[in-house]
């Protein structure tokens, strides 16, 4: 679903990603692990078309998407849930969810209602909070809202930037469980994280250091040989 080949990218004149090769297929949950400053956010922003690709190939669903605007990519099913969740605090939970699907071309009110109900089933707490301001939710609930808002766009590729940040382990497990279910339903999930607990649910994983992929393996293998890569994460 997404494939990067030898991607070099940067901000201004500063190179951040160096010859990055990454791939995630439909139905696969792929984790990219890296310490603070490794380039995880830049990686997702590059795939989303926010940070320019300097050279290399970036294919989404078999087509090059270099130079395409983020909102166009989202309409084609490439959805990015940014670091820090970025829900709209003054709007209600339901309004935040509806905003997710608003810009999808040709969406009917029936389809909107169907997607809303699907998200309320995924995270029932969002249904009980549907008329409360997004900003009044707990951190975990806000992350669920951010995930559900992304899913309102019916993505083919869902990218998440450190969804576990600042959350209690139980809540993280709840969210990772939902992501695992999404991959099983056929969506490609690309998750960037500092926490190695994502290896419990990922199929494959990469380690990013100083903007370069320094290790790639099946998630189980990486978890079992943790000492090999642990120093890259600190
Ligand atoms: N807007 C920016 N301008 C210049 N450098 C940046 C900018 N954003 C991030 N960087 C640098 O790029 C590197 C990678 O940052 P980032 O992708 O945010 O890493 P991570 O998400 O893994 O913590 C860091 O060295 C950071 O200082
Ligand atoms: Mg980051």
């Amino acid at each position: 679903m997404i494939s990067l080949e030898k991607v070099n990218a940067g901000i201004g004149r500063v190179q951040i990603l160096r010859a990055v090769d990454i791939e995630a297929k439909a139905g696969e949950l792929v984790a990219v692990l890296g310490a603070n400053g490794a380039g995880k956010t830049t990686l997702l922003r590059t795939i989303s078309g926010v940070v320019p690709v300097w050279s290399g190939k970036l294919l989404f669903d078999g087509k090059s998407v270099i130079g395409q605007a983020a909102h166009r990519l989202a309409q084609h099913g490439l959805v990015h849930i940014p670091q820090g969740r970025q829900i709209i605090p003054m709007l209600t939970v339901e309004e935040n969810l509806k905003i997710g699907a608003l810009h999808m071309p040709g969406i009917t009110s029936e389809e909107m209602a169907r997607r809303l109900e699907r998200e309320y089933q995924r995270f029932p707490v969002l249904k009980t909070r549907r008329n409360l301001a997004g900003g009044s939710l707990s951190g975990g609930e806000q992350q669920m809202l951010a995930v559900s808002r992304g899913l309102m766009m019916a993505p083919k590729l869902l990218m998440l930037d450190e969804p576990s940040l600042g959350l209690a382990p139980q809540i993280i497990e709840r969210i990772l469980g939902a992501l695992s279910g999404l991959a099983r339903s056929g969506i490609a999930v690309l998750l960037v994280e500092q926490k190695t607990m994502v290896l419990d649910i990922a199929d494959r994983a990469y380690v990013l250091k100083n903007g370069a992929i320094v290790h790639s393996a099946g998630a189980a293998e990486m978890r079992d040989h943790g000492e090999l890569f642990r120093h890259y994460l600190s």
Side-chain angles (χ1 to χ4, degrees):
M1 190 56 64
I2 189 77
S3 133
L4 286 78
E5 272 178 55
K6 303 260 167 300
V7 167
N8 291 295
I11 298 168
R13 301 168 119 202
V14 181
Q15 181 166 11
I16 298 177
L17 299 184
R18 299 162 205 282
V20 167
D21 289 317
I22 284 181
E23 147 177 87
K25 299 192 170 76
E28 227 183 3
L29 200 158
V30 172
V32 177
L33 290 168
N36 228 341
K40 301 181 300 298
T41 295
T42 304
L43 169 67
L44 296 193
R45 290 167 65 85
T46 302
I47 297 172
S48 292
V50 179
V51 170
V53 173
W54 291 359
S55 64
K57 284 188 185 164
L58 174 59
L59 302 181
F60 170 61
D61 208 5
K63 297 184 200 76
S64 175
V65 288
I66 290 175
Q68 288 202 27
H71 72 277
R72 295 274 317 195
L73 292 171
Q75 288 176 352
H76 288 107
L78 191 161
V79 169
H80 178 178
I81 299 176
Q83 190 170 348
R85 332 203 212 284
Q86 298 187 10
I87 63 158
I88 301 173
M90 306 80 73
L91 296 187
T92 66
V93 166
E94 188 149 309
E95 287 164 345
N96 269 280
L97 288 172
K98 284 181 169 169
I99 276 180
L102 217 55
H103 300 293
M104 304 311 282
I107 188 165
T108 61
S109 55
E110 290 81 11
E111 177 62 14
M112 179 77 95
R114 205 182 60 75
R115 291 186 189 183
L116 263 180
E117 200 45 48
R118 188 184 59 190
E119 295 316 311
Y120 287 149
Q121 276 174 21
R122 192 185 321 276
F123 297 121
V125 69
L126 295 181
K127 188 166 193 171
T128 64
R129 306 264 195 275
R130 65 201 293 175
N131 295 319
L132 296 181
S136 73
L137 302 187
S138 70
E141 290 163 354
Q142 290 192 21
Q143 186 61 64
M144 290 174 201
L145 178 55
V147 170
S148 278
R149 186 180 56 182
L151 292 172
M152 290 292 287
M153 294 186 239
K156 296 180 191 162
L157 170 69
L158 185 70
M159 304 196 296
L160 300 101
D161 195 342
E162 296 202 52
S164 76
L165 209 65
L167 303 183
Q170 264 177 315
I171 310 285
I172 298 174
E173 272 179 31
R174 175 79 191 82
I175 288 165
L176 294 183
L179 299 181
S180 169
L182 288 170
R184 279 197 304 274
S185 77
I187 297 176
V189 181
L190 181 64
L191 181 59
V192 304
E193 263 296 343
Q194 295 193 51
K195 291 199 177 65
T196 55
M197 69 187 284
V198 298
L199 294 174
D200 294 341
I201 55 141
D203 297 302
R204 291 186 303 106
Y206 299 87
V207 178
L208 186 69
K209 184 184 171 75
N210 292 333
I213 300 293
V214 292
H215 201 65
S216 115
E221 186 191 336
M222 203 177 273
R223 193 179 52 223
D224 295 345
H225 298 89
E227 68 285 356
L228 276 177
F229 66 91
R230 191 153 295 132
H231 65 282
Y232 293 129
L233 299 182
S234 52

